[in-house]
């Protein structure tokens, strides 16, 4: 038995937890540079605003209905997510953190417990301790738990918790007949269209389809999804997050950049961030790619989208070495006369730090490698304790004119001392 716990409108709910004045009001959270809507409150959804709608297209609607826009606050979301997952860990010995706002729990052996009541306990605990509204879906497979979460969220009569296993066979048939196949976990828009051409339009149609035919026409993944819909658990919980095979760090600039100095600061910052993620998963990189991009929507301007791949003689996770290679790559692809909208770095050919094979003819000694490792451990420790960016390379600069635009900022309530919320007692 599995449960999927999902925070409702997570980004918006994080802001509302610390700013109660936002509750009941239409709120959107915007993407980098305040471009598009990446989170919408229920009040905004009721107005017909779609995910990804550009903010500039909503100016008139926002004035008419009082929509409140907020810039993304990733420090806040990350910290609240960490607390959220720690609370959920108290309800099951096994959990899989699926995304920033979703978590699978293993309820195997919990047969003696009222699952619906247990789900309500989870909801109340998270709401009381974090101020986040959540929904809980329960089922005999991960796919059914995900589908049950959809039902819990969309159908108010279930009060945020839905246990698929409590339904009779007839009730299950009626439920899955009323849900479009595109709502099934892993069935995207294109696959839904292909399935529709085969006469498979509802979840029931997919569940009852012939598995061998689906495997032959589509893939083993679709076959496995069908088995999961039948209650056959094919997907185990992944207690340990899988190490990424590539790490990308990239952002669009707050304004178009033309100077090499500004690009060097940005690329150095992005490389440092990627190196931090690399060490967090205990990996090293064997190559890196640097890329630049002008604004493709400005058709009247010169366009240039270069990239360069830099193989490393010896895999490393040292920020200084990676930044040094990235700077050399940037200088080779940079051309003056262009207005750059975006830059980024991709770390590639990743392998485990403990299993990586050093170069036989490398001039780097074992002592130098140990010094590099201790230096990076110290860097990460200080930045974890005192805040990201407390220690950084000089190449990252201090005055970032290219920084992401945030016209609607909010405080980092839990990650900056100067912005901690203050409670007054009367």
């Amino acid at each position: 038995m599995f449960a999927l716990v999902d925070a409702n409108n997570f980004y918006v709910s994080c802001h509302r937890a610390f700013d109660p004045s936002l509750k009941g009001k239409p709120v959107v959270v915007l993407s980098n540079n305040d471009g598009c809507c990446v989170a919408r409150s229920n009040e905004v959804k009721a107005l017909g605003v779609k995910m990804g709608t550009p903010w500039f297209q909503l100016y008139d609607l926002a004035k008419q209905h009082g929509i409140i826009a907020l810039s993304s606050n990733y420090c806040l979301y990350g910290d609240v997510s960490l607390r959220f997952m720690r609370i959920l860990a108290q309800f099951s010995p096994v959990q899989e953190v699926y995304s920033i706002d979703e978590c699978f729990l293993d309820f195997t052996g919990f047969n003696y417990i009222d699952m619906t009541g247990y789900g309500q306990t989870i909801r109340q605990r998270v709401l009381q301790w974090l101020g986040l509204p959540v929904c809980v879906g329960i089922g005999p497979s991960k796919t059914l738990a995900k589908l049950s979460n959809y039902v819990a969220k969309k159908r108010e009569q279930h009060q945020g918790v839905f246990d698929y296993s409590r339904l009779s066979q007839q009730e299950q048939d009626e439920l899955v007949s009323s849900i479009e196949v595109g709502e099934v976990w892993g069935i995207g828009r294109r696959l839904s269209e292909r399935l529709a051409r085969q006469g498979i339009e509802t979840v029931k149609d997919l569940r009852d389809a012939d598995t061998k035919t689906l495997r032959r026409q589509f893939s083993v993944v679709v076959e496995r999804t069908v088995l999961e819909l039948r209650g056959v658990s094919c997907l185990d919980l992944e207690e340990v997050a899988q190490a990424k095979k590539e790490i990308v760090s990239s952002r669009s600039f707050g304004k178009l950049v033309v100077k090499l100095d500004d690009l060097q600061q940005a690329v150095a910052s992005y490389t440092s961030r990627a190196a931090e993620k690399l060490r967090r998963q205990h990996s090293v990189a064997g190559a890196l790619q640097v890329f630049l991009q002008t604004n493709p929507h400005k058709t009247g301007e010169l366009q240039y989208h270069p990239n360069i791949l830099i193989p490393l003689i010896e895999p490393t996770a040292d920020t200084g070495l990676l930044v040094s290679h990235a700077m050399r790559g940037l200088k080779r692809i940079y051309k003056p006369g262009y207005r750059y909208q975006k830059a980024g770095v991709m770390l590639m050919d990743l392998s485990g730090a403990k299993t990586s094979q050093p170069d036989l003819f490398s001039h780097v000694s074992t002592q130098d490698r140990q010094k590099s490792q201790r230096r990076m451990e110290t860097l990460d420790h200080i930045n974890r304790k005192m805040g990201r960016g407390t220690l950084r390379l000089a190449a990252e600069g201090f005055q970032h004119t290219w920084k992401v635009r945030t016209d609607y900022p909010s405080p980092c309530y839990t990650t900056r001392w100067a912005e901690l919320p203050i409670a007054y007692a009367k």
Side-chain angles (χ1 to χ4, degrees):
M1 190 67 69
F2 301 93
L4 177 68
V5 186
D6 176 24
N8 302 339
N9 308 324
F10 180 68
Y11 287 0
V12 173
S13 295
C14 287
H15 289 280
R16 284 177 166 175
F18 291 93
D19 186 357
S21 68
L22 297 175
K23 293 182 179 180
K25 297 181 180 179
V27 180
V28 296
V29 175
L30 305 177
S31 62
N32 293 334
N33 290 313
D34 297 334
C36 303
C37 298
V38 294
R40 303 153 296 154
S41 67
N42 290 335
E43 295 81 5
V44 174
K45 293 178 183 178
L47 296 174
V49 177
K50 303 296 183 182
M51 178 70 79
T53 302
W55 173 237
F56 74 87
Q57 294 182 2
L58 298 176
Y59 287 164
D60 293 338
L61 189 68
K63 291 180 180 179
Q64 182 181 355
H65 296 279
I67 298 177
I68 300 171
L70 297 170
S71 299
S72 296
N73 189 337
Y74 298 113
C75 291
L76 174 64
Y77 310 147
D79 188 63
V80 172
S81 175
L82 180 62
R83 298 168 190 237
F84 177 40
M85 301 307 169
R86 285 175 176 170
I87 293 174
L88 296 182
Q90 300 175 12
F91 291 92
S92 172
V94 182
Q95 72 175 146
E96 176 191 334
V97 178
Y98 180 64
S99 68
I100 193 172
D101 63 342
E102 291 180 275
C103 180
F104 283 103
L105 300 176
D106 189 347
F107 282 175
T108 302
F110 286 26
N111 299 338
Y112 61 93
I113 295 178
D114 174 19
M115 290 287 99
T116 301
Y118 199 55
Q120 290 295 347
T121 301
I122 293 175
R123 292 188 73 232
Q124 293 165 10
R125 179 77 58 83
V126 174
L127 184 62
Q128 181 180 1
W129 288 13
L130 271 183
L132 292 182
V134 303
C135 287
V136 182
I138 303 169
S141 68
K142 290 174 71 175
T143 301
L144 284 175
K146 186 85 170 174
L147 187 67
S148 297
N149 184 275
Y150 168 82
V151 175
K153 186 175 294 186
K154 296 297 183 181
R155 305 189 180 185
E156 296 181 358
Q157 65 267 32
H158 299 296
Q159 299 180 331
V161 179
F162 183 74
D163 182 2
Y164 186 86
S165 65
R166 297 185 64 178
L167 302 180
S168 66
Q169 185 62 52
Q170 181 179 352
E171 290 172 330
Q172 290 179 6
D173 291 344
E174 292 175 355
L175 175 68
V176 295
S177 296
S178 65
I179 303 176
E180 295 181 357
V181 70
E183 301 299 339
V184 175
W185 185 30
I187 305 297
R189 179 179 58 83
R190 292 184 179 179
L191 186 53
S192 296
E193 294 173 352
R194 291 179 61 193
L195 289 169
R197 289 195 288 270
Q198 302 293 327
I200 300 175
E201 298 180 346
T202 68
V203 177
K204 184 178 185 299
D205 294 336
L206 181 62
R207 186 199 64 182
D208 298 340
D210 181 68
T211 54
K212 293 182 180 179
T213 302
L214 289 177
R215 179 171 183 169
R216 184 173 62 252
Q217 294 183 346
F218 297 94
S219 68
V220 67
V221 176
V222 176
E223 178 190 31
R224 191 165 55 210
T225 298
V226 173
L227 293 175
E228 287 254 322
L229 289 174
R230 295 175 182 176
V232 180
S233 179
C234 304
L235 303 172
D236 296 327
L237 292 191
E238 298 179 4
E239 298 182 61
V240 180
Q242 297 294 318
K244 296 181 179 180
K245 298 180 180 180
E246 296 176 344
I247 295 177
V248 180
S249 182
S250 174
R251 291 280 180 87
S252 296
F253 302 133
K255 65 177 184 179
L256 297 179
V257 173
V258 295
K259 295 181 180 179
L260 177 61
D261 290 345
D262 291 333
L263 290 174
Q264 287 176 323
Q265 288 184 11
V267 170
S269 297
Y270 299 156
T271 307
S272 296
R273 178 66 176 130
E276 179 187 342
K277 295 180 180 179
L278 183 69
R279 293 190 294 272
R280 190 182 302 162
Q281 69 174 35
H282 308 291
S283 298
V284 291
L288 66 85
Q289 184 181 55
V290 182
F291 57 89
L292 298 173
Q293 179 180 312
T294 53
N295 189 339
H297 301 292
K298 292 186 177 295
T299 55
E301 295 188 2
L302 296 174
Q303 298 295 314
Y304 182 46
H305 310 287
N307 67 81
I308 184 170
L309 178 65
I310 306 170
L312 306 182
I313 296 177
E314 183 172 315
T316 183
D318 188 297
T319 297
L321 292 175
L322 291 170
V323 169
S324 178
H325 288 295
M327 292 299 98
R328 285 198 290 271
L330 175 63
K331 289 180 180 178
R332 290 180 61 181
I333 62 174
Y334 169 76
K335 288 184 180 180
Y338 293 93
R339 285 154 43 95
Y340 297 97
Q341 181 196 35
K342 188 176 185 179
V345 175
M346 179 187 296
L347 301 184
M348 309 166 67
D349 192 16
L350 306 189
S351 58
K354 293 183 179 180
T355 58
S356 176
Q357 183 67 43
D359 182 63
L360 180 62
F361 303 102
S362 173
H363 65 279
V364 180
S365 65
T366 301
Q367 185 178 11
D368 289 337
R369 295 191 188 97
Q370 293 174 345
K371 286 183 179 180
S372 170
Q373 182 177 352
R374 290 196 298 269
R375 186 166 58 249
M376 292 300 101
E377 289 175 352
T378 301
L379 174 70
D380 292 338
H381 174 74
I382 292 176
N383 284 335
R384 279 196 302 268
K385 184 176 181 180
M386 306 302 296
R388 182 181 298 158
T390 301
L391 281 184
R392 55 185 171 179
L393 299 185
E396 298 180 48
F398 296 94
Q399 295 181 345
H400 298 159
T401 58
W402 45 268
K403 190 176 180 180
V404 172
R405 187 176 71 250
T406 53
D407 293 336
Y408 312 98
S410 56
C412 294
Y413 297 103
T414 64
T415 54
R416 291 183 185 175
W417 288 107
E419 298 180 5
L420 290 178
I422 300 174
Y424 296 95
K426 293 184 179 180

